[in-house]
RNA sequence: UCCUCGGUAGCUCAAUCGGCAGAGCGGCCGGCUGUUAACCGGUUGGUUGUAGGUUCGAGUCCUACCCGAGGAGCCA
């Protein structure tokens, strides 16, 4: 028995006879020569068999093995620049071949173009293909980098409830579910309010979990179930949270660059755009952003695009605005100081300008748009209560939340980073649905 | 919810003015010693999204509905 290798480390085994256990991603044969492109979960490696070097029945079995059959291949690793694969550059000269299960009938996903609906119906199989495999590997590294940076910077991971009594922000649609004698409970769309309680016990905390939005959004930027990491920091103002965000996002991107080079290469990602993602990030005010948008709009010829860029002070940005704005920067950009009216009730007003609040969004470059929304939170109990009334929220539901400002209130801030949006940007793909293994959308809960 | 586009073989698509429903891929059979979604020859494969209507004749025209994609709004 030869050592069972992981294909990601194939280069370490040059000249050695090894075993690869996995699946036949592709097979082609040319008379007396057969190529098997093997997947083992860790990578893709080409294995080559010559008819003259192998028993006739074994060679014949190799030329007939159907796509996605599970097999065990042994052979000698050699460097060859012609060899495809991830990481590639090495191939295995086959000396042994054992079939675990030969696929019967047609494998649904042929190696050619397919439509989106078909691929999503076969998502359980689609994740085996190199592009999807690579994206989901990047996602795993991004998530690990998130936990790593936060742990290294004094944050404690605190899980927050998924079943919650009511809307945290009251504006968006929630999924409801019957909850015994308590009426309806709602699936969480943020753990922030609980995080705010937790910082008074632990100073820096974060929650990381699924978030549910029942909005009928049907765009490449939306899922009904997505993952969000929400750090919250005591004794931190708006400037402080921007510093944390730029360190945090830079660490995530640089870790992905370091650990996922083969995956990003397989995706065809231009990594120079990612290499620039280091602190500090540019910071512009909402007012300045409006001025920039007005200029961009003035230079836009196409009347349809021009109309989409139309905006007045007091309006929130739509995706056309974000896209246009981020194309002016080669790094993520902070936009801070949004109008109070379009933001949540808990955001601290700008000193001397109550129509503006201490909110900040982080927009990813290359047109990707918002990946983080954050703010400094109101720390005065009376002001918070006033905002709760102004938003017509039930005061009694927020009693515990107001308590936080009565017992040792401090300036504090926090933000939420969307995992799928971040992965989509880092991978350079064009739709959120590929950044999660089993996307949940307005018209899809299968598989 | 609104706007635009689409639905034909397992998959990706073609079908001219309304006139015999086709190709590539996949599958199957054969050939080939460097393939990169190999290539070459043969073969298999159809309730044209659903229901109605117009017509000698409908994939094609009309009506309604269903499903999908892209965008808007909302947001991470």
């Amino acid at each position: 028995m030869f050592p069972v290798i992981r294909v990601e480390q194939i280069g370490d085994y040059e000249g050695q006879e090894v075993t690869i256990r996995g699946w036949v991603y592709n097979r082609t044969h040319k008379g007396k020569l057969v190529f098997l492109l093997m997947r083992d979960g860790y990578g893709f490696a080409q294995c080559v068999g010559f008819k003259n070097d192998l028993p006739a029945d074994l060679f014949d079995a190799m030329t007939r093995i159907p796509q996605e059959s599970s097999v065990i291949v042994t052979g000698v690793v050699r460097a060859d620049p012609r060899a495809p694969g991830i990481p590639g550059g090495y191939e295995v000269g086959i000396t042994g071949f054992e079939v675990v299960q030969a696929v019967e009938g047609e494998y649904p996903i042929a190696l050619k173009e397919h439509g989106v609906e078909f691929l999503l119906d076969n998502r359980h199989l689609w994740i085996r293909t190199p592009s999807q495999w690579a994206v989901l590997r990047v996602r795993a590294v991004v998530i690990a980098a998130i936990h790593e940076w936060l742990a290294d910077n004094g944050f404690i991971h605190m899980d927050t409830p998924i079943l919650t009594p009511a809307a945290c922000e009251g504006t968006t649609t929630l999924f409801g579910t019957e909850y015994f004698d308590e009426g309806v409970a709602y699936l969480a769309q943020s753990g922030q309010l609980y995080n705010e309680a937790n910082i008074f016990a632990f100073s820096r905390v974060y929650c990381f979990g699924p978030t549910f939005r029942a909005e009928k959004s049907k765009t490449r930027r939306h899922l009904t179930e997505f993952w969000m990491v929400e750090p919250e920091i005591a004794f931190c103002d708006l400037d402080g949270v921007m510093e944390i965000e730029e360190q945090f996002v830079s660490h995530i991107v640089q870790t992905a660059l370091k650990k996922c080079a083969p995956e990003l290469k397989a995706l065809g990602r231009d990594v120079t755009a990612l290499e620039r993602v280091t602190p500090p990030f540019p910071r512009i005010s909402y007012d300045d952003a409006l001025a920039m948008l007005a200029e961009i709009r003035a230079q836009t010829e196409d009347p349809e695009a021009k109309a989409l860029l139309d905006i007045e002070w007091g309006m929130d940005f739509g995706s056309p605005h974000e896209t246009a704005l981020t194309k002016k920067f080669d790094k993520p950009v902070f936009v801070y100081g949004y109008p109070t009216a379009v933001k949540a009730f808990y955001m601290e007003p700008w000193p001397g300008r109550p129509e503006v609040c201490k909110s900040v969004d982080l927009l990813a470059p290359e047109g990707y748009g918002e990946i983080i929304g954050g703010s400094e939170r109101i720390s005065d109990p009376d002001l918070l209560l006033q905002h709760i009334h102004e938003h017509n929220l039930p005061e009694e539901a927020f009693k515990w939340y107001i308590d936080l400002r009565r017992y040792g209130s401090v300036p504090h801030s926090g933000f939420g980073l969307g995992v799928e949006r971040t992965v989509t940007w880092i991978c350079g793909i064009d739709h959120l649905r590929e950044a999660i293994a089993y996307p949940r959308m307005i018209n899809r809960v299968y598989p």
Side-chain angles (χ1 to χ4, degrees):
Chain A
M1 186 69 178
F2 301 103
V4 176
I5 67 162
R6 296 179 179 179
V7 166
E8 62 187 341
Q9 294 157 348
I10 192 168
D12 298 342
Y13 293 89
E14 190 176 351
Q16 296 182 44
E17 192 157 16
V18 302
T19 297
I20 294 174
R21 297 190 296 207
W23 300 267
V24 178
Y25 176 67
N26 193 14
R27 179 211 71 213
T28 182
H29 58 99
K30 220 179 133 38
K32 294 174 179 144
L33 179 61
V34 62
F35 297 96
L36 302 179
L37 187 55
M38 285 283 296
R39 308 186 290 109
D40 76 336
Y42 300 93
F44 292 70
Q46 174 164 278
C47 303
V48 190
F50 289 95
K51 188 170 189 174
N52 294 344
D53 300 344
L54 294 160
D57 58 332
L58 212 62
F59 183 83
D60 190 58
M62 275 190 265
T63 64
R64 291 168 187 283
I65 190 74
Q67 185 190 1
E68 289 302 323
S69 296
S70 42
V71 301
I72 298 172
V73 170
T74 56
V76 179
V77 176
R78 59 179 175 246
D80 191 317
R82 291 172 298 186
I86 305 173
Y90 294 89
E91 68 180 18
V92 174
I94 299 174
T95 55
F97 179 74
E98 181 191 332
V99 176
V100 179
Q101 188 216 22
V103 169
E104 287 181 32
E106 297 176 27
Y107 181 68
I109 303 186
L111 299 179
K112 63 183 297 281
E113 280 185 39
H114 295 281
V116 171
E117 187 183 7
F118 173 80
L119 288 170
L120 286 173
D121 283 342
N122 289 282
R123 184 61 173 165
H124 55 299
L125 305 176
W126 189 22
I127 58 174
R128 303 179 181 195
T129 62
S131 65
Q132 301 306 305
W133 173 87
V135 170
L136 293 172
R137 296 252 298 183
V138 171
R139 177 191 170 102
V141 167
V142 163
I143 289 170
I146 285 169
H147 287 293
E148 178 183 65
W149 190 91
L150 291 167
D152 286 349
N153 286 274
F155 287 80
I156 186 171
H157 182 190
M158 298 285 293
D159 296 313
T160 51
I162 288 176
L163 289 165
T164 58
C168 279
E169 307 183 18
T171 53
T172 38
T173 322
L174 299 167
F175 287 105
T177 182
E178 275 183 49
Y179 198 81
F180 306 107
D181 297 334
E182 297 292 315
V184 179
Y186 297 91
L187 300 185
Q189 53 181 357
S190 170
Q192 181 203 316
L193 302 193
Y194 297 99
N195 279 340
E196 286 190 64
N198 291 340
I199 58 167
F200 292 92
F202 303 98
S203 187
R204 289 183 170 200
V205 303
Y206 70 101
C207 63
F208 193 120
T211 297
F212 305 92
R213 300 276 164 95
E215 297 153 358
K216 292 199 170 180
S217 301
K218 232 188 90 177
T219 81
R220 65 178 69 188
R221 282 185 269 270
H222 291 87
L223 297 169
T224 53
E225 177 183 300
F226 63 97
W227 289 71
M228 185 160 69
V229 55
E230 294 177 278
E232 192 75 22
I233 309 105
F235 296 101
C236 180
D237 63 8
L238 190 68
D239 286 329
V241 80
M242 283 194 263
E243 277 173 41
I244 287 174
E245 287 180 29
E246 65 195 5
Q247 296 289 338
F248 180 54
V249 169
S250 298
H251 174 79
I252 293 167
V253 171
Q254 296 305 321
T255 302
L257 279 173
K258 192 169 73 183
K259 295 189 175 174
C260 298
E263 288 85 353
L264 293 170
K265 187 183 171 200
L267 290 165
R269 182 66 164 109
D270 170 17
V271 293
T272 60
L274 297 175
E275 284 163 356
R276 288 194 292 264
V277 180
T278 54
F281 297 164
R283 303 178 182 191
I284 60 170
S285 69
Y286 174 85
D287 297 341
D288 293 342
L290 275 199
M292 288 184 68
L293 283 168
E295 197 177 317
I296 293 166
R297 185 168 176 274
Q299 291 165 359
T300 303
E301 302 281 332
D302 179 35
E304 201 172 323
K306 211 179 178 83
L308 282 172
L309 285 171
D310 200 12
I311 188 168
E312 294 169 19
W313 198 98
M315 291 166 63
D316 206 353
F317 294 146
S319 36
H321 306 111
E322 286 183 7
T323 303
L325 214 49
T326 62
K327 285 184 174 165
K328 293 285 179 187
F329 297 88
D330 62 359
K331 277 188 183 191
V333 56
F334 288 113
V335 180
Y336 62 89
Y338 285 83
T340 306
V342 299
K343 290 292 181 182
F345 74 93
Y346 49 72
M347 295 188 181
E348 181 76 17
W350 202 269
R353 280 188 79 187
E355 75 280 11
V356 172
C357 62
K358 296 177 87 171
S359 57
V360 58
D361 286 353
L362 183 67
L363 310 183
E366 301 169 82
Y368 280 94
E370 184 176 354
I371 54 171
I372 286 182
S375 68
E376 183 174 332
R377 325 301 193 188
I378 291 174
S379 48
D380 179 79
D382 295 331
L383 181 61
L384 182 61
L385 192 57
Q386 182 193 324
H387 278 230
I388 286 171
H389 289 152
E390 285 170 5
H391 283 78
N392 293 316
L393 296 169
E395 182 182 334
E396 54 288 358
F398 290 94
K399 182 180 176 303
W400 67 268
Y401 187 65
I402 300 163
D403 269 355
L404 306 174
R405 278 72 177 173
R406 299 176 62 216
Y407 305 117
S409 188
V410 298
H412 63 284
S413 303
F415 63 95
L417 174 136
V419 170
E420 288 77 16
R421 286 188 177 179
T422 303
V423 171
T424 300
W425 162 49
I426 290 174
C427 290
I429 57 179
D430 65 5
H431 204 300
L432 230 53
R433 64 187 163 219
E434 294 180 33
I436 186 167
Y438 300 98
R440 293 292 174 253
M441 290 170 294
I442 175 172
N443 52 3
R444 176 172 294 279
V445 289
Y446 175 92

